[in-house]
Amino acid sequence: METSLARIKKDIGTIQKFTSTPGQGCTRFSYSIEDKKAKNYLIDEMISLGMDVKIDGVGNLRGTYKGQCENLPIILVGSHMDTVKHGGSFDGITGVIAALEVIRVLKENNINTKHTIGLIGFAEEEGSNFGATTLGSKVITGKIASSELKNIKNFEGKSYYEVLEESGLNPENIDKERLDKKDILGMLELHIEQSIVLDKNNLSIGIVKGIAGTRTYGVEIIGESNHAGATPMNMRKDALIAASEIISHVNDIVKENGLSTTVATVGKIECHPNVSNVIAEKVGFTIDIRDLDDYAMDRVLKEVINYSNRISDKYELKCNIRQITSFKGTKTCEKINNIIEDIVKSRGYSYCKMLSGAVHDSAVMAEITDVGMIFVPSKDGKSHVPEEYTSFEDIKRGSDVLLETLLKLDKI
Ligand code: GLV
Ligand code: MN
Ligand code: MN
């Protein structure tokens, strides 16, 4: 019994066309028309397998494939549907398609699992709309209350609640649609590695031991705009000068305060008024700090805050710092990892145990259930870029491991 490379290839090939930036990578934000088209394709496939399917109040795609005992907790399997801007065709969707393919194989082999299998395609994992990652999983696990949806704003100032309503969803429903820990046996997620370890070492499978935590903060430096030609150098309150000093010091802050595993990134910057002959009045940038070790992240964060305040004081500017998201480092379930390792060994696949630097919905799910994550190689370690690529042979190998893991978990 095995998954079908041809079907996986067809699914990924179909869904990668649902992009708002054809020819420039895959851009499929949650709640966009492309997202709806991708979901419609999957819904048709799921219905043809006899699954019950719904899209919940925050846009998570949720399907169930009934098991023999409806009173047993379900086994969840899936990943996220959305992408970053100009991202790749594999991040997230590979795990949703692998989950679908696993259910197809169960159906064609007339395998009736004891537990119901829940397929999940999470919405808004990437933070593409609202700047905060894993919102779809955070809402359905109760980490974000439905009342908070009105306070989360996108880059145009529109609330999450409004965006959901405008895309035809019913956010009020979400309180009734949450996942309850007693109803779930575990969650399995197959995902591309997004780093170089597997590819460089010619390994087929990564067993994820832990998922790095994140601290994402927004820093805003406020100075004063004035004429670029007429304002003497000693009379300026240039927000961009201060921001660039802070940003260029981030690498040193990590070196001095973090561990060898700590990383920090300033990936987004906005300058106002952003005009060549006007001194910048306001600069906002994000800082994304990651590690499995919470203390290391906190030390780096503390120093970023201190340094930002020191530089702002030096130029007599205002500095506001706000938290966008914060995540603890997460360990996956050892029992599930051992099951995966046994399967991988018995199949003779090369593998290693590893950490994930990228965040995943499984890290959120780990707060309510046991999770296991299977990584497949990313060519040249590239991800969140159009060049992101994983071979279909690798995806099939990962999907076969996913299938077998699910069957073993079902027997527990
Ligand atoms: C999402 O993929 C992230 O790791 O930020
Ligand atoms: Mn992802
Ligand atoms: Mn991603």
Side-chain angles (χ1 to χ4, degrees):
M1 193 165 60
E2 57 179 317
T3 59
S4 154
L5 187 144
R7 286 190 302 229
I8 292 170
K9 195 168 177 181
K10 173 175 173 269
D11 290 338
I12 291 185
T14 303
I15 290 183
Q16 75 181 355
K17 295 198 188 98
F18 301 133
T19 169
S20 63
T21 55
Q24 293 176 66
C26 203
T27 305
R28 191 176 51 254
F29 285 10
S30 296
Y31 321 118
S32 65
I33 184 77
E34 297 76 32
D35 176 51
K36 288 201 177 104
K37 286 181 182 167
K39 281 182 178 141
N40 284 342
Y41 170 75
L42 292 173
I43 289 170
D44 286 347
E45 294 294 311
M46 289 157 80
I47 288 175
S48 74
L49 296 173
M51 296 175 71
D52 288 331
V53 189
K54 70 167 182 182
I55 294 180
D56 69 22
V58 287
N60 296 307
L61 172 65
R62 288 160 72 168
T64 46
Y65 187 70
K66 272 200 186 59
Q68 295 163 33
C69 314
E70 282 191 48
N71 54 341
L72 285 179
I74 68 170
I75 302 174
L76 279 172
V77 55
S79 188
H80 62 96
M81 297 284 307
D82 59 326
T83 72
V84 295
K85 191 170 169 186
H86 302 297
S89 307
F90 297 87
D91 179 1
I93 198 67
T94 301
V96 180
I97 285 169
L100 172 69
E101 180 55 22
V102 160
I103 295 173
R104 280 188 189 129
V105 175
L106 297 179
K107 168 103 179 160
E108 74 189 354
N109 288 281
N110 295 317
I111 296 198
N112 200 204
T113 50
K114 246 177 12 182
H115 301 81
T116 290
I117 311 301
L119 184 154
I120 192 147
F122 288 106
E124 199 54 15
E125 190 267 358
E126 298 285 10
S128 301
N129 286 300
F130 300 97
T133 53
T134 61
L135 288 183
S137 50
K138 279 185 178 149
V139 172
I140 56 164
T141 52
K143 275 197 85 160
I144 296 181
S146 55
S147 55
E148 272 181 65
L149 298 176
K150 292 189 175 150
N151 303 327
I152 298 172
K153 300 274 163 73
N154 69 10
F155 303 113
E156 292 157 12
K158 215 178 250 183
S159 79
Y160 196 4
Y161 195 96
E162 281 176 272
V163 169
L164 292 169
E165 279 197 320
E166 277 173 18
S167 77
L169 298 166
N170 189 352
E172 287 297 340
N173 272 358
I174 202 65
D175 288 324
K176 289 178 253 131
E177 295 172 320
R178 289 199 206 287
L179 294 168
D180 194 321
K181 86 187 334 159
K182 71 171 178 3
D183 299 328
I184 309 166
L185 182 72
M187 156 100 201
L188 300 175
E189 179 171 8
L190 176 129
H191 202 282
I192 57 165
E193 183 204 345
Q194 308 183 275
S195 186
I196 189 78
V197 178
L198 297 178
D199 191 36
K200 196 174 76 188
N201 296 295
N202 245 318
L203 302 172
S204 295
I205 299 286
I207 302 170
V208 180
K209 287 188 300 183
I211 302 167
T214 317
R215 307 277 184 271
T216 310
Y217 276 68
V219 181
E220 189 181 54
I221 312 288
I222 302 161
E224 263 175 41
S225 274
N226 211 336
H227 197 289
T231 314
M233 292 309 281
N234 63 353
M235 290 185 64
R236 293 171 178 233
K237 292 197 168 178
D238 187 333
L240 190 50
I241 288 289
S244 58
E245 272 187 42
I246 299 164
I247 294 168
S248 59
H249 194 56
V250 165
N251 279 11
D252 287 336
I253 294 178
V254 174
K255 254 186 237 147
E256 284 155 25
N257 300 275
L259 302 171
S260 60
T261 45
T262 316
V263 291
T265 308
V266 176
K268 182 162 191 262
I269 176 163
E270 270 160 11
C271 177
H272 180 81
N274 209 21
V275 174
S276 68
N277 56 358
V278 181
I279 295 164
E281 181 204 1
K282 200 158 75 178
V283 176
F285 60 91
T286 55
I287 173 142
D288 171 312
I289 306 163
R290 306 217 187 179
D291 204 325
L292 193 62
D293 186 297
D294 287 310
Y295 296 108
M297 281 191 288
D298 287 337
R299 279 197 307 274
V300 170
L301 175 63
K302 195 164 157 220
E303 189 48 30
V304 167
I305 293 173
N306 287 342
Y307 195 76
S308 301
N309 284 323
R310 274 211 302 283
I311 296 297
S312 303
D313 287 349
K314 181 172 99 178
Y315 292 107
E316 296 178 16
L317 308 171
K318 269 217 278 233
C319 174
N320 300 322
I321 303 182
R322 74 187 169 94
Q323 180 186 300
I324 298 173
T325 156
S326 175
F327 244 116
K328 286 202 300 228
T330 311
K331 293 220 167 74
T332 52
C333 169
E334 221 174 295
K335 190 180 72 190
I336 298 182
N337 291 344
N338 291 338
I339 294 176
I340 300 173
E341 188 171 13
D342 287 346
I343 293 168
V344 170
K345 273 187 183 159
S346 73
R347 287 174 168 264
Y349 295 162
S350 52
Y351 75 98
C352 70
K353 294 184 177 172
M354 62 193 307
L355 296 177
S356 170
V359 80
H360 298 288
D361 292 299
S362 283
V364 179
M365 294 300 298
E367 297 194 16
I368 62 161
T369 193
D370 290 344
V371 302
M373 277 198 86
I374 299 162
F375 271 176
V376 286
S378 289
K379 186 170 184 307
D380 301 326
K382 287 205 177 286
S383 183
H384 281 187
V385 290
E387 300 78 41
E388 179 182 275
Y389 181 74
T390 299
S391 78
F392 293 103
E393 289 74 16
D394 279 329
I395 298 174
K396 179 191 160 18
R397 261 189 289 273
S399 303
D400 286 334
V401 174
L402 182 72
L403 169 65
E404 218 179 317
T405 308
L406 183 134
L407 289 172
K408 289 242 160 81
L409 213 55
D410 183 52
K411 300 227 158 60
I412 287 175

